[in-house]
Amino acid sequence: DYSRALAGTIRPVRDYVESEDIYESTDYSKDGTTVTIQKHTVGNGIKILVVGDGFTDADIDSGKYDRSMEKAVEYFFDIEPYKSFRDRFEVINMRVVSPTSVFDETKNTAFETVIGPGSHIEGNLSTAYQKVYDVYGSLDGVLVIVVMNTPKYAGTCYMIGNTMSIAFCPMSEETYYPFSTVVHHEAGGHGFANLGDEYYYSGTISQSEKDDLKYLR
C-alpha cells in the first residue's frame, strides 16, 4: 500500500561497534514529549512531524536532538517553493529516545532503521504511524521526517497512498550528498510533493518501470 523512493545508489555502508563500547539509554522520561517548532499563520496548517532515530537520552539532555530536528526543518524550508509558503506549515518536534545509536541488524534504535545495501533504508513504519497518531490522532496529510543520527549517506521515503509520507533522512556528511540534500530530496521532493525519482543512466526504460510511474501519477 505504499511506494518507496530512494536517494540514489552508492556503496553499502555498515557500522560495526564492539558491544562494550555501546552507550545505552536509561532515562526515557522525555520520550514522546513535543515542542512546536513553527505555527502556521495562513491556512489550516500543513502538518510536519520531525522525529529522531538513534538519539539516546544523553543526546536529548545535551540538546543535540532538538538542534538536529531544527536543522532538518531549516533545510526543508531553505528552497522554493517551501521558502515562500513557509507560513502555511505547522511543524512539531517529537522527542524519541532510542536504546542506542547503532544502526544495524540488531535494531537497537527506536525506529529499528537499517542502512544498506546502497542507499536503501528499512525501518519500522508502524512505529512512525503510532507517533503520528499520538500527536494528531490521524494519519491524513502528515509528512514525517525521521532524522537519523548517523553521518552516513542514504535516504528512503515511503509514500503511503495519498495520506502520509515517511522520509528517512540521515545527517549525511558526504560532500556531494549532505544532510541538506537528503532532506530536499526525500522530504521535499518525495515526501511532500509525491514526486518520483528522475535518474538517467543508459539504455531504455522497461515497460514495468513505465507502468510503475503511471501508477504513482
Side-chain angles (χ1 to χ4, degrees):
D1 295 324
Y2 62 81
S3 58
R4 183 177 66 206
L6 307 178
T9 302
I10 62 166
R11 63 189 182 279
V13 293
R14 181 77 63 211
D15 286 330
Y16 292 99
V17 182
E18 295 297 330
S19 59
E20 59 267 22
D21 295 330
I22 299 175
Y23 173 83
E24 296 188 17
S25 296
T26 57
D27 181 6
Y28 287 81
S29 62
K30 294 181 181 177
D31 186 73
T33 59
T34 60
V35 178
T36 299
I37 293 179
Q38 173 179 307
K39 292 185 177 181
H40 70 283
T41 57
V42 177
N44 297 321
I46 303 168
K47 302 178 182 68
I48 296 181
L49 178 66
V50 287
V51 293
D53 196 33
F55 291 86
T56 64
D57 55 355
D59 293 320
I60 294 178
D61 290 340
S62 69
K64 178 180 179 179
Y65 187 103
D66 288 349
R67 291 193 299 270
S68 301
M69 302 307 110
E70 291 166 1
K71 182 177 292 186
V73 171
E74 290 306 312
Y75 286 149
F76 182 85
F77 287 111
D78 70 6
I79 59 171
E80 297 291 357
Y82 307 110
K83 182 185 296 185
S84 294
F85 293 96
R86 183 167 183 166
D87 54 6
R88 290 163 169 78
F89 287 82
E90 190 91 9
V91 185
I92 292 178
N93 162 25
M94 173 185 272
R95 299 184 181 112
V96 180
V97 180
S98 287
T100 74
S101 297
V102 179
F103 296 93
D104 62 19
E105 290 84 352
T106 59
K107 299 180 178 179
N108 282 326
T109 64
F111 291 89
E112 301 180 352
T113 50
V114 178
I115 301 174
S119 65
H120 177 60
I121 296 173
E122 290 187 359
N124 190 327
L125 301 186
S126 295
T127 300
Y129 299 155
Q130 187 59 55
K131 301 301 182 186
V132 174
Y133 272 117
D134 290 344
V135 175
Y136 299 109
S138 170
L139 299 179
D140 291 342
V142 181
L143 167 61
V144 182
I145 303 176
V146 182
V147 178
M148 296 172 59
N149 186 21
T150 173
K152 300 294 185 180
Y153 165 74
T156 300
C157 182
Y158 294 85
M159 296 174 279
I160 296 86
N162 295 318
T163 57
M164 67 176 294
S165 295
I166 305 169
F168 290 94
C169 301
M171 296 191 295
S172 170
E173 294 179 0
E174 290 277 341
T175 302
Y176 296 104
Y177 300 99
F179 185 23
S180 57
T181 298
V182 175
V183 172
H184 295 158
H185 183 106
E186 301 298 343
H190 292 316
F192 183 83
N194 206 29
L195 298 174
D197 286 312
E198 294 188 34
Y199 298 121
Y200 172 75
Y201 299 104
S202 63
T204 304
I205 187 171
S206 67
Q207 186 59 49
S208 63
E209 289 176 315
K210 290 181 182 178
D211 293 340
D212 287 343
L213 291 174
K214 289 178 180 178
Y215 173 77
L216 290 175
R217 182 184 62 186

